[in-house]
Amino acid sequence: MNARERFATDSTSALSAITPQLEALTERLGVKSVLVMRSEPDAMVVAATAGEATQHYTVGAAGKKAGEDASRIPLYCEHVVDTDDALFVRDSRQDPVFAGNEDETEFGLHNYLGLAVHDSTGRVVGTVCVLDDTARDYSEDQRADLERVRADVERIVATDAEALG
């Protein structure tokens, strides 16, 4: 069984056109996961997944948001949705906000770079993000690659409001 068979890229049907782009980005960046996430009131839900971590992040899998529960550590993507800001966490184990978050403790993914995805009205409806198990930085070119994925997802969402699932 080759890596592609073990770690199958998957997506909602509306996002299937960008799955080759997600696979290519995963390889170019050398990360464990590239995701497109949908924001729901209480959860972040996987809409597209590529990379080795597809074994954890399957389409439809959901992570519960911390919300107003001060005893819970927020999800990376939850923070992006709530702030509408890009988020870079070099190493969550060393981060006062994200240390001990679910992606780190359950899957060993402590490096994160994510961007908000907007619908045609400008409302934040999800994220595109990369996760890795190595503390690392991203070059401007690598960040631009993620921006291009976000732009493609937003184009799809603009014509299909249900594209994220």
Side-chain angles (χ1 to χ4, degrees), residues 2 27 29 31 33 54 62 67 102 120 132-133 135 148 156:
N2 67 34
E27 290 179 26
L29 298 181
V31 295
S33 183
T54 58
E102 183 177 313
S120 61
D132 200 29
D133 61 357
R148 281 189 285 282
I156 293 168

Side-chain angles (χ1 to χ4, degrees), residues 100-126:
N101 76 77
E102 183 177 313
D103 292 300
E104 172 195 314
T105 60
E106 287 192 33
F107 310 123
L109 301 173
H110 47 82
N111 177 264
Y112 176 90
L113 176 62
L115 306 170
V117 170
H118 305 87
D119 67 11
S120 61
T121 69
R123 183 175 62 99
V124 178
V125 294

